[in-house]
Amino acid sequence: MTDPAMSVTPYWELTFDADGDPDTGRRDRLLAEVVNRGVEDLVVFSHGWNSDRSGATRLYSHFFEPFPALAPAAKLGYVGVVWPSMRFSDEPIPDFPRSVAAEMPPRPVLDKDTRHALLETFPGRATVIDQLARLLDQQPQGETELEEFGRLVRLLVEVVPPGPQALFAADTLAEGVPQDEPEIFTGSTATVCEEFARALAHLESPSPREAEGFSLPNPWDGAHELLRQGTYYAMKRRAGTVGERGLGRVIGQLAGAAPGVRVHLVGHSFGGRLVSFALRGLPQGVRTVKSVTLLQGAFSHYAFATRLPHDARAGGMLQGQQNRVDGPVVCCYSHFDSALGTLYPLASRMAGDAQGVAAFDIGRALGAKWGAMGHDGVQAVPGTPSLKLADAFGNLPVKGCVNVDAAAVVKRGGPPCGAHSDIVHRELARLVLAAGRVH
């Protein structure tokens, strides 16, 4: 039975935990029913930043709504992936009001919704979250307290020294060594917080607010951003785990139960990373994935590259995985996405750029090694064409990667994330169907 909140039918939900283990009841229901419902093309969509099932369901209902009219003869089925992600209150969900963000206090504190999201996303860490909230609320002036804040962030997101694998979320590798692994937790927390605070003051406001007891900018602004970036890397890691260990295996099981069903993967933000890493988890010989569409993908634009332009020894974690798709990998991007055009390179450069973030240059970052899929598309994959959205329909390649500039529709949104979540558009629904050659 279709969820009454959904705009389409048949619809199934796939739920995964942080380790990629599925809700077996929901998985088995999908495997049993997809053939009986006569589905020939199954669209599987994964959300990115989110904090609860209801938000994910609303996104899927809005995005899927145009599909039946766009492909009236197709025998479509729909799957919504739900995984334990989270967002800070100033990171909007697509087409959702930013009521909480609009009421944010002027000081960098943890509002109740963000605290709730942290508790839900990191179970068993209530004491740590309370201590983080207390420090952000009190903002003590000593470096000792900033260092303690950094220790608590590491504890929250399971970065326990030495444990380099604890936060493993790299999209590129050089001789087995991750190239975009964060180093922001290994040095002086006070220094990192000060650099984040300077960068945020430059990016977000020409006149940073004055904070009592500190010379401008306030390092506790940077501490708040350090917490955000810690959860960012934890969610990035989790998206890859859920994709490879969870969704990839379920697609393999679906191929066994319903070998004639064509699967079309769609992911927004970290959900783009999730569905891309699902390709790594496909069992050998499975060829049922017919298209992948990445909507403002929040992972490295070099993830599919065999060699990186700045390091011939290095390649992407997903190099060659586009060949697991019996169709195109469509990467939608928009220069209006400031979450990926500014904040993503900011975090990535903090992961290992000796210049630090104080000298962060947005113009240089656009084509630099720290870029994201959703800002400038797939990079360093030979033969990848680039198309405007209006020209993509009917002109997508049969195989391989293709970049689609979606700025004509992905353009709404204010700071700090810009148009990152502006993805609910009929044109993008049509693009998913075009990628899968569904009519």
Side-chain angles (χ1 to χ4, degrees):
M1 182 176 179
T2 298
D3 187 320
M6 289 304 299
S7 60
V8 291
T9 185
Y11 170 82
W12 297 273
E13 185 179 286
L14 277 177
T15 303
F16 297 94
D17 66 17
D19 297 318
D21 294 323
D23 178 320
T24 55
R26 292 182 181 275
R27 178 202 61 193
D28 293 347
R29 177 186 167 199
L30 168 65
L31 297 179
E33 293 183 2
V34 70
V35 175
N36 294 336
R37 298 296 295 267
V39 172
E40 294 180 356
D41 289 278
L42 188 69
V43 184
V44 180
F45 193 168
S46 174
H47 66 79
W49 285 296
N50 205 340
S51 55
D52 57 26
R53 175 181 175 271
S54 63
T57 301
R58 288 177 63 185
L59 167 62
Y60 299 148
S61 184
H62 291 166
F63 190 83
F64 287 148
E65 188 172 5
F67 278 66
L70 289 170
K75 297 179 179 179
L76 286 163
Y78 308 86
V79 171
V81 175
V82 177
W83 58 286
S85 177
M86 74 157 287
R87 66 185 181 94
F88 275 64
S89 59
D90 59 352
E91 294 171 354
I93 301 174
D95 275 9
F96 284 52
R98 295 181 59 195
S99 56
V100 176
E103 299 169 2
M104 285 291 287
R107 303 176 71 208
V109 300
L110 287 187
D111 65 278
K112 63 179 182 178
D113 286 351
T114 300
R115 290 182 68 170
H116 177 73
L118 286 168
L119 289 166
E120 291 289 317
T121 307
F122 300 101
R125 295 288 196 275
T127 301
V128 174
I129 293 166
D130 286 344
Q131 291 174 314
L132 288 166
R134 177 181 56 80
L135 285 170
L136 280 174
D137 183 58
Q138 296 177 352
Q139 299 190 23
Q141 298 184 23
E143 287 192 6
T144 300
E145 287 79 6
L146 285 170
E147 297 299 335
E148 172 64 7
F149 189 88
R151 185 190 71 82
L152 291 168
V153 172
R154 290 194 294 272
L155 185 59
L156 176 69
V157 299
E158 300 175 331
V159 188
V160 182
Q165 293 298 106
L167 199 62
F168 187 84
D171 291 330
T172 57
L173 291 172
E175 299 177 350
V177 179
Q179 295 297 287
D180 51 0
E181 187 68 359
E183 298 174 2
I184 56 177
F185 302 109
T186 61
S188 165
T189 299
T191 299
V192 168
C193 290
E194 289 168 2
E195 291 186 339
F196 264 134
R198 284 198 297 270
L200 290 171
H202 172 72
L203 293 171
E204 296 178 1
S205 172
S207 302
R209 63 179 179 271
E210 188 171 352
E212 182 180 354
F214 291 97
S215 60
L216 294 178
N218 182 357
W220 285 101
D221 287 339
H224 186 270
E225 186 63 22
L226 176 64
L227 174 59
R228 186 199 304 271
Q229 297 302 337
T231 60
Y232 166 92
Y233 277 102
M235 294 304 99
K236 183 180 178 184
R237 174 196 61 202
R238 187 174 292 180
T241 298
V242 172
E244 186 168 354
R245 293 193 68 254
L247 182 58
R249 294 178 182 179
V250 172
I251 294 171
Q253 294 165 342
L254 179 64
V261 174
R262 296 156 36 91
V263 177
H264 310 282
L265 301 179
V266 184
H268 170 239
S269 190
F270 278 148
R273 190 176 200 266
L274 191 154
V275 300
S276 296
F277 272 73
L279 301 176
R280 285 171 53 101
L282 291 177
Q284 192 67 30
V286 171
R287 304 292 298 174
T288 55
V289 177
K290 303 299 179 181
S291 67
V292 175
T293 305
L294 308 176
L295 304 174
Q296 304 311 115
F299 60 114
S300 173
H301 57 192
Y302 292 134
F304 290 102
T306 302
R307 293 287 180 268
L308 306 189
H310 56 274
D311 188 347
R313 304 166 303 156
M317 283 283 286
L318 297 173
Q319 57 180 283
Q321 293 301 318
Q322 66 268 30
N323 298 324
R324 305 294 304 276
V325 182
D326 190 22
V329 174
V330 180
C331 179
C332 294
Y333 67 94
S334 170
H335 66 274
F336 292 113
D337 186 338
S338 55
L340 300 183
T342 297
L343 298 180
Y344 181 93
L346 168 64
S348 298
R349 289 188 66 169
M350 278 298 292
D353 191 319
Q355 296 179 8
V357 298
F360 182 73
D361 184 329
I362 296 175
R364 285 194 303 139
L366 300 185
K369 63 181 179 179
W370 301 120
M373 290 273 181
H375 186 260
D376 58 1
V378 173
Q379 301 294 314
V381 176
T384 299
S386 294
L387 303 169
K388 294 288 187 181
L389 180 60
D391 300 326
F393 308 108
N395 293 311
L396 295 174
V398 175
K399 289 270 296 177
C401 298
V402 55
N403 293 324
V404 174
D405 183 349
V409 296
V410 181
K411 59 185 179 181
R412 294 181 297 122
C417 295
H420 182 64
S421 296
D422 185 22
I423 62 164
V424 181
H425 293 283
R426 182 182 179 88
E427 293 90 341
L428 297 182
R430 183 183 170 199
L431 186 66
V432 170
L433 294 170
R437 288 168 170 75
V438 180
H439 306 288

